Amino acid sequence: MTATTGDWKPTACILCECNCGLEVELGGDDGRHLVRLRGDKRHPSSQGYACEKPHRLDLYQHGRDRLTSPLRRRPDGTFEAIDWDTAIREVAARLAAVRDHHGGEAIFYYGGGGQGNHFPGAYATATRRTLGSRYHSSALAQEKTGEFWIADRMMGGGTRADFEHCDVALFLGKNPWHSHSIPRARVTLKSIAADPARTLIVIDPRRTETAELADLHLAVRPGTDAHLLAAILAVIIEDGLIDRAFLAAHAHAAEVEQVVAALGAVPIAAACAVAGVDEALVRRTAHVIGTARAFASFEDLGVQMNRDSTLVSYLHRLLVFLTGSLGKPGTHYAPTTLVDVANGSSTKVSPVAGARIVGGLVPCNVIAEEILTDHPKRYRAMIVEAANPAHSLADSKRMREALGALDTLVVIDVAMSETARLAHYVLPAASQFEKAEATFFNFEYPRNHFHLRRRLFAPPPGPLPEAEIHARLAEALGAVTEADLAPLRAAAGAGRMAYAQAVLARVMSDRRLAGQAPVILYRTMELPDELREGAVVLGIALRAALEHGPSLARAGFTGSPLEAAIGLFEAILAGASGVVFAVDEWAGAAPYIRTPDRKLRLALPDLLDELARVVRDGAAAHDEAYPFVLAAGERRSFTANTIIRDPAWRKKDAGGALRIHPLDAAALGVAAGQPVRLTTRRDSLVVAIELTDTMQRGHVALPNGLGVGYPTGDGDGTTGVAPNELTACEDRDPFVGTPWHKHVPARVERV
C-alpha cells in the first residue's frame, strides 16, 4: 500500500485554462508523489469541481524525461551536463553577443505562459528588457488573436459570457465537455440541457459530447462557419430581431444601417446550402437567439483555427451586439482582470514577413519565415520557455529547420522536449508543484478570483524556478547589482508598507530599474519559500489598485491605492485556495465600451468586404487529390497539449486514432483499428482508425497532445501522430495569421 501523509494540500489543475482548485495528498517513499486528488470545495470558482484528467498529474511530476541538470550541446549534437554558474555565464554571453552585433530585436522570445504556468512570462520580461528583445509570441497567437483584434476594434476590449444565468447558450466550434474554459463546465452544461426553459445550441461539424446534450446542433460543413453565421444574421435582419433600443444607445446609426444592408444582402438559402445546414434549422436558431432573454456565446479553436477565422469572430461579435447581449446577467461582460491577456491592440508588424502583430504576439505561422532568410532583421536567437514550438507549431519539419538555423537557442523547460533536443543550451526548470505559481486566465463575473498556489515541495537537486533563472541572467548581464538591491532589502525588514513605498520611490521612478522590477521584487521581498516566486504579484496588485480601484473596494480592498494593493497582496498570500479580488456590478453595456467615443464600432470596412467576398465565392475549392478535411488536433478525454508526456496517462484511445465515419472506412475497405495512410500536402503518416458516426463523411480528426518522444525500456519511443507534421505554415488566416489546423486538405488510403 502506498504511504500517504494524511494531509490534503491545496493546489490547482494545470491541464486547461480553468485551473480548477484541487486538494492533493502526497505520499510514496519520498513523500513527493501526488497520490490522491480531489476538487477543492474552498476554491472560489471551481467549488470542488474537477474532471477526470487531473487524477493523472503524478505522471507529469515524475516524467522519465525530466531535466535535472543544465545541458550544453556538443559539436556532434549530443549534450553534456554543466553546472549552473557555467550555464548562466555562457547563455548570458551568447545572448549579449547577438544583441551587441545585431541588436536586441534579433532575439525572439517564445512562451512564458501555458496552462497555469504564468510566472515565467512575468520574470522573463526582465531578461528581455536587458537584452532589448522586442518580439515574442505564444500559443495565444495560434488561437485567439483574431478574436482579440476584432473585439479591440469594435469595443476596445474583449468579453466573456455568463452561462450560469443565460436562457440561450451558443458554443461555436467548441466542445466544453472536454475543453472546458468555463467554470464547472460539465455541471453548467447539464444544467442548461436539463432546463426546458433554456436552449443549448452547438455549431460544430462533429456531434461532440456537448452537441449530444444540445437542443439545436448545427452540423456545419467543415470550414463554412462564416456562411452559416452570415445566414443566421441575415435571418435576424430579415425578421426584425435586432435590438434597436440597444443599438441606438451604443452604436452609430450610420454604421448600424451599413451592417444591416450588408447582412440583408446575404442570400440565406444559398449560404445555408454552402454550410450544409437545413434552412429551417437555421431560421429556428436565429429566432431562438433573436428572442432570447439572455444570450451567452463562446467561440473557440474549432473556428479560430479554421478558414475565415477572423471573419467568423467579426460575425460572432455582430451576433452579440445586434441582439443587445451585453451588460446584463446571462449575457456578455468585460471582466476585471489582474493581467490583460486578451489584449487585441495592433500597432506594428513583424520585421521580415510584415505580418500583423496583435497584442504584441507575432503570428506563429510566420516564425520560421522570420528566421529562414538573409534579411538583416531576421531573428538570430530564441529563448523558448515552458513551450515546445518544434511540436506545437504548424509545419514541424520547417520549424525544426528554422530552430536549427539560429545562432543561439536556449530552452527553459521541465522535460527534454522536441524543442529542447535542438537547443544549444537547456536549462532545467522546477515543475509547477515545486514553486509558487498562478494563472492569469481569470474571467469570472461579477466576482473574479486569483489563485496563488503554494509549492507542494522543493525542487530536486538541479532544476530551478524560472524566477531564479531570470534573476541570475539579469545579474550576469549586469542589469541588477547588489547596490540596487541592498536598500530594498533593508526596507523589507521594516514591513510591507515601507517596502512598497521604497519600491515605488526607488524602482518605478528609475527607468533602468523599472524594467527589472520582477527580479528586484523576487530578490528583495521577504516571503516564505513556498510562496517566494509570488513576489511579482505585488507589482500586479499595485497596477490593479490604480486601474480597478472600485472593483477592488467592493471586494474589501479599500484605502489609498497603495493600501488597497497591499491588502490585496496579503490576501492573495494568505488565500491558499484563492481569493476574490474584484466584485463588479451589472450596469449595462456602457462601462464595457472603451472606444474613444464610447460607441461600438459595428462597421469594419475590411471585414465587410471580406464578408461580401466569401458570400460571393462560396465554399473553398475542392481538391480531388485531397478529398478529406483533417482536423489536426482534437481535444479528447485524455489529451491536454503535451503537459503530460508519459503516454501511460491515457486510459482511452492510447494511440490517438484517426476518427472517421464508418461509411468512409467501408469505401476504403478498412475496419476499426486497422491502419491507414494519412497524407497532406506536407507529409504522409500511418495511423490506426476509429469508426464513429459522430464525424461527417469526408471529415477526419486526430487528437492533440500525441506524437512526442518519451523514454521507454527500449530507448526513446513515440506514441501516436504529431498533428503538425501534417500542417503547413502558409495555411493561415489572411488578417492575423492564425493557422488552419482544423481544415487541412487530406487523403486517406488503405495501407
Side-chain angles (χ1 to χ4, degrees):
M1 182 176 180
T2 302
T4 62
T5 62
D7 181 23
W8 291 86
K9 296 182 179 293
T11 186
C13 180
I14 60 173
L15 298 178
C16 88
E17 70 169 78
C18 290
N19 298 112
C20 296
L22 299 176
E23 290 184 303
V24 301
E25 190 175 17
L26 305 181
D29 295 338
D30 55 4
R32 294 177 62 87
H33 285 267
L34 285 61
V35 177
R36 292 195 294 171
L37 299 94
R38 66 190 183 195
D40 184 356
K41 296 180 180 179
R42 294 168 296 182
H43 191 272
S45 178
S46 56
Q47 303 171 30
Y49 173 87
C51 72
E52 73 275 11
K53 296 183 182 183
H55 296 283
R56 306 287 183 267
L57 280 171
D58 193 58
L59 293 171
Y60 156 79
Q61 177 60 31
H62 292 280
R64 290 195 293 273
D65 52 359
R66 178 74 190 271
L67 292 164
T68 58
S69 172
L71 301 175
R72 177 175 59 199
R73 178 179 290 279
R74 298 186 180 101
D76 65 359
T78 62
F79 287 94
E80 60 182 335
I82 55 177
D83 61 80
W84 271 109
D85 288 344
T86 301
I88 294 294
R89 183 177 65 252
E90 292 187 5
V91 166
R94 291 275 296 253
L95 294 173
V98 173
R99 175 197 62 192
D100 295 344
H101 284 86
H102 305 288
E105 295 182 1
I107 302 173
F108 187 74
Y109 178 82
Y110 187 87
Q115 308 297 357
N117 193 51
H118 286 184
F119 284 163
Y123 285 104
T125 59
T127 301
R128 293 183 58 224
R129 286 166 181 160
T130 301
L131 294 168
S133 170
R134 287 185 54 199
Y135 295 104
H136 74 286
S137 195
S138 74
L140 282 175
Q142 288 222 94
E143 306 162 354
K144 300 294 182 181
T145 44
E147 179 187 5
F148 294 168
W149 184 56
I150 291 296
D152 183 76
R153 295 175 69 190
M154 296 185 78
M155 63 174 286
T159 62
R160 300 283 278 205
D162 177 15
F163 288 97
E164 288 190 46
H165 302 103
C166 69
D167 66 324
V168 177
L170 166 66
F171 292 102
L172 175 59
K174 179 164 187 63
N175 180 19
W177 188 265
H178 284 321
S179 63
H180 294 82
S181 301
I182 62 174
R184 306 168 71 242
R186 296 181 182 180
V187 173
T188 300
L189 291 172
K190 289 179 179 179
S191 176
I192 298 171
D195 189 340
R198 306 173 77 186
T199 304
L200 176 59
I201 305 169
V202 171
I203 296 176
D204 199 299
R206 192 172 78 83
R207 194 173 72 250
T208 65
E209 290 79 1
T210 306
E212 292 276 9
L213 294 171
D215 300 285
L216 301 173
H217 173 210
L218 284 70
V220 61
R221 183 173 290 123
T224 63
D225 300 89
H227 297 268
L228 178 57
L229 284 181
I232 292 172
L233 284 161
V235 173
I236 287 174
I237 297 298
E238 181 178 89
D239 293 351
L241 299 176
I242 64 175
D243 189 333
R244 288 285 183 180
F246 174 88
L247 295 171
H250 300 298
H252 295 280
E255 290 197 19
V256 172
E257 297 314 313
Q258 187 178 353
V259 168
V260 166
L263 294 172
V266 173
I268 296 171
C272 292
V274 171
V277 180
D278 181 70
E279 183 180 346
L281 178 58
V282 171
R283 290 185 176 276
R284 180 185 172 195
T285 301
H287 273 261
V288 168
I289 294 172
T291 60
R293 172 188 58 80
F295 169 60
S297 57
F298 198 123
E299 64 174 81
D300 210 359
L301 306 193
V303 293
Q304 292 172 340
M305 286 183 165
N306 214 323
R307 301 185 67 89
D308 306 318
S309 57
T310 299
L311 175 59
V312 168
S313 292
Y314 175 57
L315 296 174
H316 172 216
R317 204 148 293 268
L318 283 178
L319 190 61
V320 171
F321 296 150
L322 291 178
T323 57
S325 303
L326 178 67
K328 57 186 179 182
T331 66
H332 298 76
Y333 58 82
T336 296
T337 59
L338 288 182
V339 178
D340 183 14
V341 299
N343 177 14
S345 62
S346 178
T347 58
K348 59 184 179 180
V349 298
S350 65
V352 175
R356 178 178 283 112
I357 295 175
V358 176
L361 300 173
V362 172
C364 295
N365 275 40
V366 306
I367 293 174
E369 185 178 343
E370 297 284 334
I371 297 169
L372 294 172
T373 175
D374 59 0
H375 195 286
K377 292 187 177 181
R378 67 184 180 273
Y379 304 144
R380 298 172 184 268
M382 274 184 73
I383 302 171
V384 176
E385 185 162 46
N388 188 11
H391 180 273
S392 64
L393 300 192
D395 208 337
S396 293
K397 183 177 181 180
R398 182 166 170 80
M399 194 66 218
R400 289 192 294 268
E401 180 187 0
L403 294 171
L406 292 165
D407 297 348
T408 300
L409 173 60
V410 179
V411 170
I412 304 171
D413 211 332
V414 174
M416 194 64 173
S417 69
E418 285 65 31
T419 306
R421 296 171 191 179
L422 302 171
H424 296 95
Y425 291 88
V426 184
L427 305 182
S431 81
Q432 291 200 46
F433 301 115
E434 297 166 354
K435 59 178 180 175
E437 252 302 347
T439 175
F440 299 147
F441 295 140
N442 313 112
F443 304 123
E444 284 74 50
Y445 196 92
R447 297 165 61 85
N448 206 356
H449 83 284
F450 183 80
H451 188 190
L452 175 64
R453 311 191 302 272
R454 293 167 165 83
R455 78 179 191 187
L456 296 180
F457 26 67
L464 295 175
E466 292 93 341
E468 180 66 29
I469 294 172
H470 287 292
R472 294 189 186 191
L473 285 171
E475 290 158 352
L477 289 162
V480 177
T481 67
E482 184 57 34
D484 298 323
L485 302 177
L488 292 162
R489 288 201 177 102
R496 199 77 74 199
M497 178 61 74
Y499 177 77
Q501 290 172 334
V503 169
L504 290 174
R506 287 184 168 271
V507 178
M508 305 315 295
S509 62
D510 183 324
R511 185 174 180 181
R512 176 181 67 86
L513 293 180
Q516 300 301 313
V519 163
I520 292 171
L521 291 170
Y522 173 74
R523 278 286 187 245
T524 61
M525 189 182 298
E526 294 183 354
L527 289 177
D529 288 343
E530 64 268 21
L531 290 168
R532 189 179 178 199
E533 294 76 27
V536 72
V537 176
L538 177 59
I540 295 171
L542 284 167
R543 185 172 58 193
L546 291 170
E547 296 178 355
H548 308 297
S551 298
L552 269 62
R554 285 189 290 267
F557 306 109
T558 58
S560 69
L562 187 56
E563 290 169 333
I566 292 173
L568 172 59
F569 182 61
E570 296 289 359
I572 288 172
L573 294 177
S577 295
V579 62
V580 173
F581 72 88
V583 176
D584 287 302
E585 300 171 341
W586 293 101
Y592 307 142
I593 302 173
R594 298 165 188 162
T595 55
D597 63 358
R598 300 290 174 173
K599 295 286 187 180
L600 294 170
R601 288 283 179 265
L602 297 184
L604 302 183
D606 50 349
L607 273 301
L608 289 177
D609 289 345
E610 183 71 358
L611 171 62
R613 184 198 66 77
V614 167
V615 170
R616 181 187 68 245
D617 293 350
H622 184 70
D623 187 343
E624 292 296 335
Y626 300 95
F628 285 84
V629 171
L630 166 68
E634 177 191 38
R635 187 66 64 90
R636 299 181 185 174
S637 295
F638 288 91
T639 64
N641 306 316
T642 56
I643 294 172
I644 303 179
R645 296 175 61 86
D646 187 343
W649 88 287
R650 298 185 191 92
K651 301 304 178 183
K652 300 178 182 177
D653 187 28
L658 179 76
R659 284 178 169 165
I660 186 171
H661 193 281
L663 294 179
D664 283 334
L668 294 168
V670 291
Q674 287 187 328
V676 295
R677 179 165 296 281
L678 177 63
T679 303
T680 68
R681 297 187 183 100
R682 189 56 81 236
D683 206 346
S684 183
L685 301 169
V686 173
V687 60
I689 62 168
E690 172 191 336
L691 306 187
T692 172
D693 64 3
T694 63
M695 301 297 297
Q696 292 188 28
R697 293 211 60 183
H699 190 211
V700 293
L702 282 172
N704 68 321
L706 281 84
V708 298
Y710 190 76
T712 67
D714 300 325
D716 195 36
T718 300
T719 300
V721 169
N724 280 311
E725 298 294 332
L726 299 164
T727 59
C729 291
E730 60 268 23
D731 291 339
R732 59 186 188 243
D733 179 75
F735 292 98
V736 299
T738 44
W740 292 346
H741 289 343
K742 307 299 183 182
H743 197 279
V744 182
R747 182 168 65 250
V748 182
E749 300 166 295
R750 182 176 179 176
V751 175

